[in-house]
Amino acid sequence: MSQRITILPETLTNKIAAGEVVERPASVIKELIENSLDAGATDITVEITGGGRRRLRITDNGHGMSREDALLSLERHATSKIKVDSDLDCINTLGFRGEALPSIASVSRFTLATRETGAPEGAEITVEGGRVRDVKACGMATGTVITVEQIFFNLPARLKFMKSAETETGHVADVIARMAVSRPDVAFLCTSDDRELLRLQRSDLQRRLAQVVGRESSQHLYPLQGTDEYVTIAGFISGPALVRSGTQAVYTYINGRFIRDKVVQHAVMQAYRGVIDRGRYPVVALFIELPPGEVDVNVHPTKHEVRFRRQSVVHDAIQSAVEEVLRSSPWLPEAHSAPPAPGGAAGQTYRERIAAAAQASLSLPPRPQYRSQPTDRSFPAATPPVHTGTVREPEPIFVPQEPQPESTGYFSALSIIGQFHSEYILCQSGSELVIIDQHAASERVAYQLLKTQCRSGAVESQRLLFPETVELSFSEVAAAARFSEALAGIGFELEPFGGATIMLSAVPRLIAEKEPALLIRDILADLDQIGTSSAFNEMLESLLSRIACHSVIRGAHPLENRQIRQLLQNMDQTDFAASCPHGRPVSHVITLAELQKIFKRT
Ligand code: ADP
Ligand code: MG
């Protein structure tokens, strides 16, 4: 008889469990902050070095542990938070699995120092790769200090997946921000390589949110409160003036626990349908309170997912609470005074619209003052982009190009019939009717221009008269730092502006008039997903195409003959004018024979 099966040693099972809970420094910090909060801490300090890869430390002023409990806490499935089966049905702590400490300790060099309230001294336990090396008494304040060094030192496969220190720092700050929103009554301090990254004093939810999502963004938030006998929903949501490129600023909590749940997310997005564009996300902090028995958090080790007993009731409650705030629309007067949609301005000439836009911009509120930054905080030095003046001035819809020598290509040779629906250009070439999609054509021309500029060094950039601050997530700020040099090559000049805010001081000239902050927000959300500069190069074409797309006015737009002529000439200078960068056709030809067939003249 053979015996193939053995029970694994605990150091190995802990390592396996760590695979689920400990993905990166930020996930360690999430677990440790949960423990601190469960221990009643009101002050939590997080210090990281090298993005937490080299070292991270969490200090709290919670109730601490006795020496015996501290030793026990490192055992698998050791917890003070549940005791019997039925406790699983009414969890009211953030932790309950008893897995975090042994998992973390099994994949790092780990020190736990803790002193229980009322105890004369603390205890310090040193663990290496899951094995206890030393236990000794220590002097310390009441509370707990956990130090994690060289995470994954004994798990090389995981080590390889860690990103740069900057990226990991961004994730750490995002995790702290998420938890800090749920507990404005707790003070958080986070330092990275001895520099202060986040300092959040005890305050109320509104102030805490302002610190986390940015002061400017917080001015577009509206309170929400909804209660029925089953579920209570409270928090803040943004009006349509404030959108993000992803779900980074959708903070949803069930019974105080941050969660990413499809049902909740869907309910929120349903409420915003028709209010914000597709692919845009609001800024939301929603606290959903349910009887603990109505929601199961024991779904995944990271506890980010939940199951609802009555899913559709929760969904509908959230949707209608959000809808109610949106319907009462404190932002509607603003929307009415917004410039008319392009389609509605068909009667206006281009010049009239520019004049109207200029007039409108005069009545805009003053932009925030920006302060100068100490040099050591700025992103890596970038090759200065080519600036072309500092004053924003009205710019024609189409790519402004130096007067070109008369071009003699196919498009320049067309005779212009006119414009159809302010969207299409009609031309004649011999016995052919040529229809050009003016939007696709200008996009193509802009794309070509950007590509040429990029090839010859850098995209032409324009310094903004009023640098714009852009509020992001911490990971996106890290992406901005990582790619600042590459972004300068495509015309964007960015600097850190403190917290999760950057300052945009120069942008590709083609989009200087076109709300560049929107585009850089999208670009940084994408760059946040990629790690290396080689990936940036792979993305370059699509980035240029997005800048081109952003540079062009959408929809109907009346054009003067002179502008049409200019566009046709520019089209001849592009090497592939047949389709726009998205692959849609730019022009379409109807022959005389085809027309004759339609009119049954053949
Ligand atoms: P869980 O949080 O699921 O119980 P952990 O492995 O995270 O499991 O922690 C084990 C136990 O250690 C906790 O139940 C708690 O009693 C104790 N503990 C952990 N961290 C702290 C802390 N910062 N302060 C006080 N007690 C703590
Ligand atoms: Mg825990």
Side-chain angles (χ1 to χ4, degrees):
M1 249 195 338
S2 70
Q3 188 185 355
R4 299 184 201 200
I5 299 178
T6 56
I7 305 247
L8 297 176
E10 194 165 293
T11 46
L12 183 50
T13 53
N14 283 338
K15 259 184 164 181
I16 294 171
E20 289 176 316
V21 199
V22 188
E23 192 196 340
R24 57 189 341 156
S27 40
V28 171
I29 284 168
K30 172 198 164 275
E31 291 294 335
L32 298 182
I33 293 181
E34 282 189 353
N35 283 344
S36 298
L37 292 173
D38 281 343
T42 53
D43 241 304
I44 299 177
T45 301
V46 179
E47 299 156 274
I48 59 171
T49 344
R53 304 181 323 175
R54 201 167 317 134
R55 197 175 84 140
L56 61 89
R57 167 175 291 166
I58 304 223
T59 306
D60 72 44
N61 66 345
H63 56 55
M65 285 179 267
S66 65
R67 185 189 182 104
E68 295 67 37
D69 270 359
L71 278 164
L72 255 184
S73 74
L74 298 168
E75 302 283 334
R76 189 100 180 274
H77 305 310
T79 180
S80 56
K81 301 173 192 175
I82 55 173
K83 287 199 162 56
V84 292
D85 285 22
S86 58
D87 290 345
L88 257 192
D89 299 329
C90 50
I91 290 164
N92 49 23
T93 47
L94 295 168
F96 60 89
R97 303 176 62 95
E99 275 188 333
L101 294 190
S103 301
I104 298 164
S106 73
V107 295
S108 66
R109 300 187 204 279
F110 181 97
T111 312
L112 162 64
T114 186
R115 178 174 160 200
E116 198 176 21
T117 316
E121 58 182 13
E124 185 181 283
I125 306 170
T126 317
V127 188
E128 222 179 80
R131 288 178 215 286
V132 176
R133 296 283 183 222
D134 193 20
V135 184
K136 59 181 186 216
C138 69
M140 63 181 289
T142 303
T144 302
V145 184
I146 290 180
T147 312
V148 177
E149 287 167 293
Q150 292 177 295
I151 181 173
F152 298 141
F153 79 97
N154 55 351
L155 215 59
R158 267 298 160 95
L159 203 53
K160 273 195 281 197
F161 286 98
M162 288 236 264
K163 300 277 166 41
S164 70
E166 273 156 354
T167 304
E168 297 300 344
T169 304
H171 286 291
V172 168
D174 281 341
V175 158
I176 299 174
R178 284 205 286 267
M179 305 190 82
V181 167
S182 74
R183 292 295 303 270
D185 57 324
V186 175
F188 290 85
L189 170 67
C190 175
T191 63
S192 165
D193 296 327
D194 297 325
R195 277 193 305 129
E196 192 175 297
L197 198 61
L198 260 179
R199 179 186 286 276
L200 306 169
Q201 271 113 9
R202 270 172 235 139
S203 64
D204 55 25
L205 175 58
Q206 193 164 12
R207 276 186 219 126
R208 178 58 57 90
L209 264 178
Q211 286 181 293
V212 167
V213 300
R215 210 155 285 285
E216 225 178 306
S217 300
S218 70
Q219 283 159 13
H220 298 276
L221 295 176
Y222 302 96
L224 173 152
Q225 181 80 50
T227 312
D228 62 26
E229 68 284 1
Y230 182 65
V231 48
T232 305
I233 304 165
F236 286 88
I237 65 166
S238 63
L242 176 66
V243 289
R244 298 277 168 109
S245 310
T247 54
Q248 311 88 337
V250 176
Y251 298 101
T252 50
Y253 303 83
I254 304 276
N255 296 346
R257 182 193 307 282
F258 175 83
I259 48 125
R260 285 189 190 291
D261 180 77
K262 284 202 191 76
V263 175
V264 175
Q265 196 130 317
H266 185 265
V268 172
M269 295 315 292
Q270 277 295 99
Y272 274 93
R273 214 177 27 165
V275 176
I276 56 179
D277 289 343
R278 280 191 66 183
R280 302 272 157 215
Y281 297 84
V283 175
V284 162
L286 277 190
F287 295 89
I288 301 146
E289 300 290 331
L290 283 164
E294 291 293 316
V295 49
D296 187 4
V297 286
N298 187 17
V299 176
H300 190 270
T302 60
K303 298 164 287 181
H304 275 155
E305 285 173 43
V306 291
R307 298 249 193 288
F308 297 109
R309 218 159 66 85
R310 281 185 272 176
Q311 178 169 314
S312 62
V313 178
V314 177
H315 179 280
D316 297 351
I318 296 171
Q319 182 177 342
S320 57
V322 175
E323 272 172 0
E324 196 165 317
V325 176
L326 291 175
R327 215 176 303 124
S328 59
S329 329
W331 37 269
L332 261 187
E334 212 180 297
H336 283 314
S337 64
Q348 265 182 326
T349 65
Y350 173 64
R351 272 177 207 291
E352 282 169 328
R353 291 192 58 198
I354 288 291
Q359 191 61 41
S361 73
L362 289 178
S363 52
L364 288 179
R367 290 178 194 244
Q369 292 289 314
Y370 60 95
R371 53 194 153 108
S372 58
Q373 294 288 319
T375 39
D376 66 327
R377 298 194 55 200
S378 53
F379 294 158
T383 349
V386 198
H387 293 299
T388 57
T390 55
V391 184
R392 285 172 167 225
E393 39 185 51
E395 176 203 3
I397 169 179
F398 297 126
V399 186
Q401 294 211 326
E402 302 310 315
Q404 301 286 343
E406 278 294 300
S407 200
T408 50
Y410 172 79
F411 290 104
S412 322
L414 295 175
S415 59
I416 301 168
I417 302 171
Q419 220 185 347
F420 172 67
H421 212 255
S422 300
E423 277 179 282
Y424 297 93
I425 297 166
L426 305 184
C427 299
Q428 182 179 337
S429 163
S431 61
E432 289 176 342
L433 174 64
V434 183
I435 306 168
I436 296 163
D437 176 338
Q438 66 193 39
H439 176 272
S442 0
E443 202 173 317
R444 178 77 222 177
V445 168
Y447 176 64
Q448 180 70 32
L449 179 72
L450 289 168
K451 259 178 86 165
T452 314
Q453 288 178 352
C454 209
R455 237 179 265 133
S456 61
V459 165
E460 200 181 5
S461 169
Q462 179 166 325
R463 198 161 272 290
L464 296 177
L465 186 55
F466 300 104
E468 284 189 36
T469 50
V470 186
E471 290 165 349
L472 302 160
S473 73
F474 285 94
S475 323
E476 288 165 345
V477 172
R482 228 164 51 239
F483 292 106
S484 70
E485 213 165 318
L487 285 167
I490 57 169
F492 290 101
E493 227 181 90
L494 316 163
E495 278 177 63
F497 193 65
T501 305
I502 57 160
M503 190 170 71
L504 188 57
S505 49
V507 302
R509 183 160 139 73
L510 288 183
I511 60 156
E513 293 298 309
K514 316 263 168 44
E515 301 198 68
L518 281 184
L519 181 63
I520 195 66
R521 202 184 267 295
D522 281 359
I523 291 179
L524 289 175
D526 277 5
L527 291 179
D528 180 25
Q529 307 298 319
I530 64 165
T532 58
S533 43
S534 65
F536 185 93
N537 290 334
E538 281 162 30
M539 272 180 77
L540 191 58
E541 298 237 327
S542 86
L543 290 180
L544 295 180
S545 126
R546 269 156 70 174
I547 299 173
C549 180
H550 201 84
S551 74
V552 176
I553 295 172
R554 308 199 153 269
H557 195 93
L559 292 176
E560 292 171 8
N561 252 16
R562 176 182 59 79
Q563 292 172 306
I564 298 181
R565 176 68 54 210
Q566 174 78 65
L567 177 64
L568 295 176
Q569 283 186 9
N570 289 346
M571 285 172 77
D572 277 328
Q573 260 127 45
T574 66
D575 52 11
F576 181 66
S579 52
C580 81
H582 302 294
R584 286 191 294 272
V586 165
S587 62
H588 179 76
V589 172
I590 300 178
T591 63
L592 185 58
E594 281 166 340
L595 270 182
Q596 282 169 339
K597 214 165 144 196
I598 292 172
F599 292 104
K600 308 213 185 300
R601 285 180 183 269
T602 44

